[in-house]
Amino acid sequence: MRHKYSNVNFPAIMFKEGINYRSYEYFGVHKGREKYSFRIWQPDAEKVFLVLYYKNGPLSFPMNKITDDGIWELFIHTTEHLDAKYICDDPEGIQYNYNVITQGESHYINDPFAVCFSSDSDKKSVVRIKSKYLFDDSLWALTRFHSFLEKDSYQLPLNICKVDHIFDNYGQISFKSIAKTLIPYVKKAGYTHVLLPPIFDFDGTYNTEIRPSSLYSINSSLGDIDDLKNLVDKLHNVGVGVILDFTPFLFSARGQDPSPFGKACLSDNNALAYDVGKKEVISYLISSAFYWFDKFHIDGLHVTQSGGLMDLNFGKEKENWTANRYGGFENLEGLFFLNQLNEAIKKEYSDRLIIADDNRIFGKTVIDKFNKDLGFSFRIKTDWCEDFHNYIFKDTKNLFRRLPMENYILPLSLKAAIENVSSIFDFDGLDLQEKLGFIRAVKVLQMTLPYKKLGLLRGDTDEIEPLACSGSVTDAEWSDRIRRYQCFVEHINKVYSDFDSFYDNDLSSDGMKFINTGKIGLIAFTRRSRKGKEPIIVINFLKESIEGLVLPSKITSGFYKTVL
């Protein structure tokens, strides 16, 4: 870690300056020749002890402070050696933590760079060095790199399958079982990427705020490091990219409090918020993103809980709000971090995606501006389904006036769409066939509008969940409708990927043209590709069928065939 002709500790200096983007190669646990190194950053500590929990009992070793700003280091030898100060059995797989003495008080702290935690209630860090898995995805990596060389990400198809609900019960799921069920489905259904939920060891549930124990660790209930690598590798070998949820806002206070990386979180007493005003924290967070790209070949990150990084008063009561030095309520330190995160990733990994979480804490205009200025590849836009009754059943032209040429991803929020049209017609009063027809129409609209796509795992079941309470069909009939809807989803996904009109010209003003049908609730438009191909899309949201519809000849001249 030091130059052979100098005593300068470059990794430590870069970490302090906020530019060590691979600090995981220096901190944490590393194995050398017949020895292990342990390093941790504790600037306020008076003493730090490494504690190894062997079966015969814990062993405690005093660490050495090697920098004035609080980096502590220790070498443990596994064999007799002239330089060996401490000798013990190989600690691979052994639980450990650090006893940090601050102001005379003792605190047992987990390693913030730990890649594995114990599965028991104590949740101690675990020494995990060995990984036998070798990736076989060089062809995928080469194809991805050349795709981004020839086109930017806005001109490539992006149809993401979100798979969060399969993680609801860790006791019955693992990376190995996911690989068996997920890979055949996403390949057949024609998705380009999968979005995995947080795979970190964390406190909380998927329905609440996620509080990772470490941004480098994998939940042991899902499997180990090699199991995740195998899942990513197999997805790459069937042509599917992998995107991870990434949470650089909150982390678990369990085993980490007090932490130099965090500060109090007003919205959650069981969590700490990363103090992105410290340069060392910026090094830590950006390094964690690089870690997943380097070690697991991940194709993109979905940055969640960004509201806390963007809102200066996140979690505060209104009477306690404060303004930044410019009089606004934006978290300037958080915005600077997000900008630095995106710049670092784009410089080092030009073929990876960084997706912003949907967040409207400051209003659409401001967030859209920040989204663009901060350098995110895309932002998930969940609110597009909330205006259905306005731009479909009142004034169809509004649909196209409300579509700015921005780098959005459209998820299918069917529940929001149904609630929004309740003032126009009684959805519950429709028969099952009419309900399915409405759902198909919403799905077609999502897949044919500009912007990239985000669907749910097995859209056949998740997207028609609002119909699950219907008792008007037998189980066999319901299973048949699910199968038919699944075929429909596969078909519309194939249409999206086969016709470049639906993805390569999203941000151009001539990429979409409105066609006036003369009927509110009957939508028609064209999508124009960069090569000039221009399919026509007609979607009927009315209850009655439309026959003999005549579209303007200046738009529809030429020969067409039905594809859906």
Side-chain angles (χ1 to χ4, degrees):
M1 293 301 175
R2 295 176 176 86
H3 196 281
K4 63 181 179 179
Y5 300 120
S6 172
N7 289 323
V8 177
N9 190 336
F10 288 107
I13 293 173
M14 294 172 67
F15 179 75
K16 182 179 180 180
E17 294 300 318
I19 55 174
N20 187 344
Y21 299 152
R22 288 187 171 85
S23 56
Y24 60 85
E25 294 179 346
Y26 180 68
F27 290 95
V29 186
H30 298 279
K31 185 178 182 180
R33 186 176 180 180
E34 299 178 346
K35 66 180 179 181
Y36 284 78
S37 65
F38 294 80
R39 294 188 188 91
I40 187 172
W41 178 55
Q42 283 290 335
D44 299 325
E46 299 164 0
K47 295 180 181 179
V48 177
F49 296 86
L50 168 69
V51 184
L52 295 174
Y53 294 87
Y54 287 96
K55 291 183 179 179
N56 296 330
L59 297 178
S60 181
F61 305 92
M63 301 186 72
N64 302 312
K65 187 176 182 180
I66 61 172
T67 66
D68 293 338
D69 53 306
I71 296 178
W72 299 76
E73 179 183 75
L74 178 67
F75 292 98
I76 296 291
H77 287 75
T78 56
T79 59
E80 293 286 348
H81 193 275
L82 290 176
D83 298 330
K85 187 175 182 180
Y86 302 107
I87 301 174
C88 64
D89 294 336
D90 192 322
E92 176 73 21
I94 297 298
Q95 298 180 22
Y96 72 102
N97 56 20
Y98 297 98
N99 182 8
V100 179
I101 311 298
T102 305
Q103 296 180 351
E105 295 185 1
S106 176
H107 304 275
Y108 285 85
I109 304 295
N110 280 326
D111 189 350
F113 286 88
V115 299
C116 186
F117 285 84
S118 62
S119 57
D120 55 27
S121 58
D122 291 338
K123 289 290 184 180
K124 294 184 180 70
S125 308
V126 175
V127 176
R128 177 70 160 85
I129 303 294
K130 299 174 183 177
S131 176
K132 300 178 181 178
Y133 194 86
L134 296 177
F135 276 94
D136 185 29
D137 62 349
S138 55
L139 180 59
W140 164 264
L142 185 64
T143 302
R144 179 187 60 202
F145 179 74
H146 282 288
S147 296
F148 277 76
L149 273 183
E150 296 170 0
K151 299 179 180 180
D152 61 36
S153 58
Y154 312 122
Q155 299 175 33
L156 298 171
L158 182 61
N159 187 10
I160 304 170
C161 176
K162 187 177 181 181
V163 294
D164 55 338
H165 83 278
I166 63 173
F167 288 80
D168 284 345
N169 189 340
Y170 276 173
Q172 300 179 5
I173 205 71
S174 68
F175 290 127
K176 291 180 179 179
S177 61
I178 294 168
K180 292 179 181 179
T181 56
L182 175 65
I183 294 174
Y185 174 75
V186 295
K187 180 182 179 182
K188 182 181 179 182
Y191 289 101
T192 64
H193 292 73
V194 295
L195 170 59
L196 299 180
I199 61 171
F200 314 117
D201 183 275
F202 66 88
D203 290 340
T205 67
Y206 286 111
N207 296 320
T208 62
E209 295 284 358
I210 299 296
R211 304 184 293 269
S213 302
S214 166
L215 287 180
Y216 297 84
S217 66
I218 296 173
N219 192 300
S220 58
S221 299
L222 290 170
D224 63 16
I225 291 173
D226 288 346
D227 293 334
L228 176 59
K229 289 181 177 180
N230 178 64
L231 173 62
V232 174
D233 199 20
K234 287 185 175 180
L235 283 165
H236 284 172
N237 279 285
V238 297
V240 178
V242 180
I243 300 171
L244 286 186
D245 267 2
F246 181 64
T247 311
F249 173 50
L250 296 179
F251 65 101
S252 173
R254 180 194 60 193
Q256 296 286 354
D257 192 15
S259 169
F261 293 96
K263 57 185 178 181
C265 176
L266 297 179
S267 63
D268 190 340
N269 293 329
N270 297 314
L272 297 172
Y274 285 110
D275 188 355
V276 292
K278 296 180 180 178
K279 293 182 179 179
E280 294 90 346
V281 176
I282 291 179
S283 287
Y284 173 82
L285 293 174
I286 297 180
S287 292
S288 66
F290 277 38
Y291 172 77
W292 295 105
F293 292 139
D294 285 346
K295 302 298 184 182
F296 294 87
H297 298 196
I298 297 302
D299 302 279
L301 296 175
H302 170 217
V303 181
T304 64
Q305 300 179 4
S306 57
L309 291 169
M310 303 178 79
D311 183 1
L312 184 62
N313 299 296
F314 187 85
K316 296 181 181 179
E317 297 294 335
K318 193 169 183 177
E319 57 269 19
N320 297 324
W321 283 12
T322 58
N324 59 40
R325 62 177 177 268
Y326 300 111
F329 297 117
E330 300 85 9
N331 182 348
L332 299 181
E333 292 177 344
L335 295 176
F336 174 81
F337 159 69
L338 290 173
N339 181 68
Q340 189 171 343
L341 170 71
N342 285 318
E343 283 187 353
I345 292 175
K346 287 186 176 181
K347 183 177 181 180
E348 188 76 13
Y349 308 96
S350 59
D351 57 349
R352 311 299 170 94
L353 302 174
I354 316 106
I355 300 171
D357 199 12
D358 179 68
N359 194 290
R360 288 159 277 155
I361 54 177
F362 301 122
K364 298 178 184 178
T365 303
V366 178
I367 285 298
D368 288 343
K369 178 180 183 298
F370 282 150
N371 176 38
K372 185 184 296 183
D373 293 346
L374 294 176
F376 286 104
S377 307
F378 299 98
R379 178 171 76 84
I380 296 177
K381 186 175 177 62
T382 59
D383 60 337
W384 77 281
C385 281
E386 296 177 4
D387 288 334
F388 255 56
H389 75 283
N390 286 328
Y391 57 54
I392 294 180
F393 294 102
K394 288 188 177 180
D395 183 0
T396 308
K397 291 183 180 180
N398 280 341
L399 167 64
F400 306 96
R401 293 170 183 161
R402 292 166 182 251
L403 293 178
M405 297 299 104
E406 296 288 351
N407 48 343
Y408 290 136
I409 294 176
L410 298 185
L412 181 55
S413 180
L414 188 61
K415 182 178 180 180
I418 292 174
E419 291 176 352
N420 201 253
V421 300
S422 61
S423 60
I424 307 300
F425 63 84
D426 179 16
F427 182 83
D428 292 333
L430 302 178
D431 61 35
L432 185 59
Q433 189 62 36
E434 290 173 330
K435 291 179 179 179
L436 288 169
F438 176 81
I439 292 172
R440 291 192 189 99
V442 176
K443 183 67 177 178
V444 171
L445 182 62
Q446 178 212 17
M447 296 301 295
T448 54
L449 285 176
Y451 317 131
K452 308 311 179 184
K453 319 301 176 187
L454 175 63
L456 297 173
L457 175 70
R458 299 190 64 82
D460 50 340
T461 55
D462 291 334
E463 290 173 3
I464 59 176
E465 185 179 356
L467 309 183
C469 60
S470 175
S472 58
V473 295
T474 65
D475 290 343
E477 290 173 329
W478 180 247
S479 298
D480 180 63
R481 292 191 183 277
I482 287 178
R483 181 189 59 80
R484 290 166 60 185
Y485 186 77
Q486 180 181 350
C487 292
F488 165 76
V489 171
E490 294 170 4
H491 193 179
I492 189 66
N493 284 349
K494 188 174 189 305
V495 169
Y496 169 77
S497 60
D498 286 352
F499 290 84
D500 54 7
S501 300
F502 294 124
Y503 60 79
D504 80 340
N505 207 18
D506 285 346
L507 301 184
S508 172
S509 58
D510 66 350
M512 181 176 183
K513 293 181 180 178
F514 166 70
I515 301 175
N516 188 0
T517 64
K519 291 181 177 292
I520 300 298
L522 182 64
I523 296 176
F525 55 92
T526 65
R527 292 295 313 278
R528 185 179 180 85
S529 72
R530 290 176 177 266
K531 296 179 181 179
K533 296 180 181 179
E534 199 166 9
I536 299 173
I537 300 93
V538 181
I539 307 174
N540 181 14
F541 283 93
L542 303 174
K543 291 184 180 181
E544 66 271 14
S545 60
I546 304 295
E547 297 181 1
L549 177 65
V550 178
L551 300 176
S553 58
K554 65 178 181 179
I555 296 177
T556 60
S557 59
F559 296 95
Y560 293 83
K561 67 176 181 179
T562 302
V563 296
L564 183 64

